[in-house]
């Protein structure tokens, strides 16, 4: 893989210039501030689509298993296919948005998402539900990939890192409230009600996008080529060793997170005997930790500490948490209760607040010429890896947490290996210094 040294991601940290119409400092018009806030909320809503689609449904997994008379491993495929759909959909929507702009593919995707979610609510067997979830994921991919591309259209450098952390605050509310809402829905109706609520949310978000989100990719910056040009662009992106390194770090970290997401309903409820409401509360607490660390990153660390150092700390915490979970689940410490296991899961999930926005920023800083395609590659790799991790955590049945911990530990170690072997932040610092740069951004 090639490594275009002068275009290193960290070299942009000293240029935090947002790609929006310039205004004089201290005299930003109120209309501009309102528009920026509105765009932030819309993009946050779009990035909240995946956690809403996944996390609101999690407390219902055991109920779906009983209702459709299907084994847990089969029902977990409803998570896997949704993730796979989101992964594959991004590979289509990302290049489309580079060619046609951001709005049109986004609106088409949101409409299909609403229809597929409504079909999930009327599923009569697990096969139909799996198919509907696949379509739901394919269409929901539009919101994920285009939200990241819009951020890349508007911001650069430190400003982009901070904006991604702000989006994490907004979209992070979704995993906090989604399982709580899902648990409460199950108190008054069955699992189908979860998809009814998701359908209503999708309709509202589609209307807001249609009315309020403006185009951010002007015609002169769009790609005129077809499928061949899109594939050549993606091949060039993958050929960048550092971009591929951050892409793989993000993918393996997400796989560790999704191992938790797909296994925790059974670990917490079936192994430790907690209720759906208790599980929802614990999941919400973990999501709060993710949001808080994401805000610590965006508000305190960005601009003061190098992005690679933040990423190294986050990966270290995830690896330590995964190791502790493996030791507890294999009985090294004897029988442990719910509290120690929940503490380990909290550290693992909260550390994602340092890892996910940082990897997105570092990867997209290198790809201003093809933000949609780069966003598609990032999203596809993470969701495909999550889709692979999902069935693995249930391979030994519902009565042991060992597979979950093994998958988490393996993914954490692979993410760390990719960071050290491909991203090589210390090497980019030396290159920057040799070229006459200060090397401040790459200090690890």
């Amino acid at each position: 893989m090639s490594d275009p040294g002068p275009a290193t991601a960290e070299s942009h940290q000293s240029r935090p210039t947002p790609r929006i119409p310039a205004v004089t400092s201290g005299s930003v018009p109120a209309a501009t501030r309102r528009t920026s806030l509105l765009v932030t909320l819309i993009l946050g809503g779009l990035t909240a689509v995946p956690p809403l689609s996944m996390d609101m449904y999690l407390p219902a997994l055991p109920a779906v298993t009983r209702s459709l008379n299907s084994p847990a491993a089969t029902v977990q495929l409803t998570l896997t296919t949704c993730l796979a759909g989101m992964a594959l959909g991004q590979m289509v929507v990302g290049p489309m948005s580079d060619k046609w702009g951001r709005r049109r593919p986004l609106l088409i995707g949101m409409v299909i998402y609403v229809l597929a979610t409504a079909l999930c609510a009327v599923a009569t067997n697990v096969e139909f539900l799996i198919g509907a979830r696949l379509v739901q994921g394919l269409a929901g991919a539009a919101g994920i990939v285009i939200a990241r591309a819009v951020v890349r259209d508007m911001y650069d450098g430190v400003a982009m890192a901070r904006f991604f952390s702000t989006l994490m605050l907004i979209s992070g509310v979704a995993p906090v409230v989604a399982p709580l809402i899902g648990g409460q829905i199950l108190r008054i109706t069955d699992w189908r009600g979860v998809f009814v609520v998701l359908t209503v949310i999708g309709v509202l978000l589609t209307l807001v996008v249609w009315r309020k989100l403006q185009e951010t990719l002007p015609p002169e910056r769009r790609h005129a080529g077809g499928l061949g040009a899109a594939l050549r662009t993606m091949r060039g992106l993958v050929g960048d060793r550092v971009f591929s390194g951050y892409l793989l770090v993000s993918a393996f970290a997400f796989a560790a997170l999704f191992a938790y997401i797909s296994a925790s309903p059974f670990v917490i409820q079936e192994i430790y005997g907690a209720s759906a409401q208790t599980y929802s509360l614990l999941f919400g607490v973990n999501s709060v930790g993710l949001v808080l660390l994401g805000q610590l990153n965006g508000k305190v660390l960005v601009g003061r500490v190098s992005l690679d150092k933040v990423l190294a700390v986050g990966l270290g915490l995830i690896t330590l948490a995964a190791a502790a979970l493996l030791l507890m689940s294999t009985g090294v410490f004897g029988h442990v209760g719910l509290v120690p296991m929940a503490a380990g899961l909290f550290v693992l999930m909260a550390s994602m607040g340092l890892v996910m926005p940082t990897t997105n920023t570092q990867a997209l800083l290198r790809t201003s010429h093809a933000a949609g395609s780069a966003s598609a590659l990032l999203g596809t790799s993470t969701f495909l890896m999550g889709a692979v991790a999902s069935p693995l955590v249930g391979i030994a049945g519902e009565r042991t947490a060992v597979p979950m911990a093994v998958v988490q530990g393996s993914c954490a170690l692979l993410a760390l290996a990719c960071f050290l072997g491909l991203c090589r932040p210390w090497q980019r610092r030396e290159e920057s210094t040799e070229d006459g740069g200060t090397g401040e951004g790459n200090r690890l």
Side-chain angles (χ1 to χ4, degrees):
M1 294 183 182
S2 63
D3 181 16
T8 56
E10 296 283 7
S11 66
H12 292 278
Q13 290 191 50
S14 60
R15 297 186 289 106
T17 305
R19 298 181 179 184
I20 54 179
V23 293
T24 303
S25 178
S27 60
V28 182
T32 301
R33 290 197 299 269
R34 286 196 298 270
T35 301
S36 299
L37 176 61
L38 181 59
V39 169
T40 302
L41 293 174
I42 292 172
L43 295 179
L46 292 173
T47 57
V49 168
L52 284 175
S53 300
M54 296 291 176
D55 302 342
M56 193 181 295
Y57 172 63
L58 290 178
L61 282 178
V64 175
T65 300
R66 293 188 293 269
S67 173
L68 300 181
N69 296 316
S70 299
T74 303
V75 173
Q76 282 178 323
L77 288 177
T78 62
L79 294 175
T80 303
T81 53
C82 187
L83 267 182
M86 288 181 180
L88 298 175
Q90 290 182 74
M91 291 296 288
V92 176
V93 176
M96 285 174 57
S97 72
D98 281 339
K99 181 178 181 180
W100 295 328
R102 312 305 186 197
R103 268 180 57 87
R104 195 193 317 174
L106 176 58
L107 287 170
I108 293 172
M110 291 303 298
V111 169
I112 298 175
Y113 171 85
V114 169
L115 296 175
T117 306
L119 289 176
C120 290
V122 298
T124 56
N125 56 66
V126 71
E127 292 79 15
F128 185 91
L129 181 60
I130 289 172
R133 290 282 282 176
L134 175 63
V135 178
Q136 184 191 42
L138 287 167
I144 313 165
V145 67
I146 292 179
R148 278 196 301 262
V150 167
V151 173
R152 188 64 186 96
D153 291 341
M154 297 190 301
Y155 291 99
D156 199 0
V158 171
M160 182 164 62
R162 288 177 174 155
F163 196 90
F164 272 126
S165 292
T166 300
L167 284 188
M168 177 162 284
L169 173 62
I170 298 170
S171 62
V173 173
V176 174
V177 302
L180 296 174
I181 294 173
Q184 295 307 310
I185 290 173
L186 293 177
R187 293 173 67 95
I188 59 177
T189 184
D190 61 9
W191 58 270
R192 300 177 191 277
V194 173
F195 290 107
V196 172
V197 173
L198 285 172
T199 301
V200 173
I201 292 173
V203 169
L204 294 176
L205 184 57
T206 302
L207 291 174
V208 172
V209 168
W210 175 52
R211 294 291 301 275
K212 299 297 183 180
L213 184 63
Q214 301 300 314
E215 181 60 63
T216 60
L217 186 66
E220 61 271 17
R221 290 176 53 200
R222 297 177 188 177
H223 291 191
L227 177 61
L231 292 176
R232 285 192 296 272
T233 298
M234 289 187 175
R235 185 169 62 247
L237 292 172
V238 173
D240 178 357
R241 170 178 55 78
V242 180
F243 173 82
S244 294
Y246 288 118
L247 179 147
L248 290 172
V249 170
S250 177
F252 285 121
F254 186 83
L257 174 63
F258 202 74
Y260 158 73
I261 290 174
S262 57
S264 60
F266 299 98
V267 171
I268 301 300
Q269 295 181 70
E270 302 296 333
I271 297 177
Y272 290 96
S275 65
Q277 287 70 38
T278 299
Y279 166 75
S280 300
L281 179 62
L282 289 174
F283 195 94
V285 169
N286 292 345
S287 300
V288 168
L290 184 151
V291 170
L292 290 178
L293 277 189
Q295 291 312 292
L296 173 67
N297 183 22
K299 304 300 183 184
V300 179
L301 301 180
V302 170
R304 295 180 177 89
V305 181
S306 77
L307 297 180
D308 281 320
K309 181 176 288 188
V310 172
L311 182 54
V313 171
L315 291 174
L317 289 173
I318 291 171
T319 303
L320 290 175
L325 289 168
L326 180 60
L327 292 174
M328 287 188 287
S329 62
T330 53
V332 171
F333 301 131
H335 177 72
V336 297
L338 177 59
V339 173
M341 182 65 70
L345 293 172
F346 173 84
V347 173
L348 184 141
M349 187 167 180
S351 300
M352 297 294 172
L354 300 177
V355 173
M356 301 310 294
T358 306
T359 52
N360 284 336
T361 300
Q362 292 287 65
L364 290 174
L365 279 174
R366 305 177 68 86
T367 59
S368 60
H369 61 288
S373 296
S375 179
L377 286 171
L378 280 169
T380 298
S381 62
T382 54
F383 281 93
L384 279 179
M385 200 64 70
V388 171
S390 177
L392 293 179
V393 299
I395 199 168
E398 306 170 31
R399 299 297 178 182
T400 175
V402 172
M404 177 190 74
V406 169
V407 171
Q408 289 170 336
S410 300
C411 290
L413 290 175
L414 287 170
L416 194 58
C418 290
F419 177 63
L420 297 175
L422 296 176
C423 300
R424 303 177 193 172
W426 65 89
Q427 187 180 75
R428 303 206 313 280
R429 178 193 63 182
E430 294 170 357
E431 291 171 353
S432 176
T433 303
E434 290 172 0
D435 291 339
T438 63
E440 289 295 321
N442 291 326
R443 187 175 59 251
L444 184 62

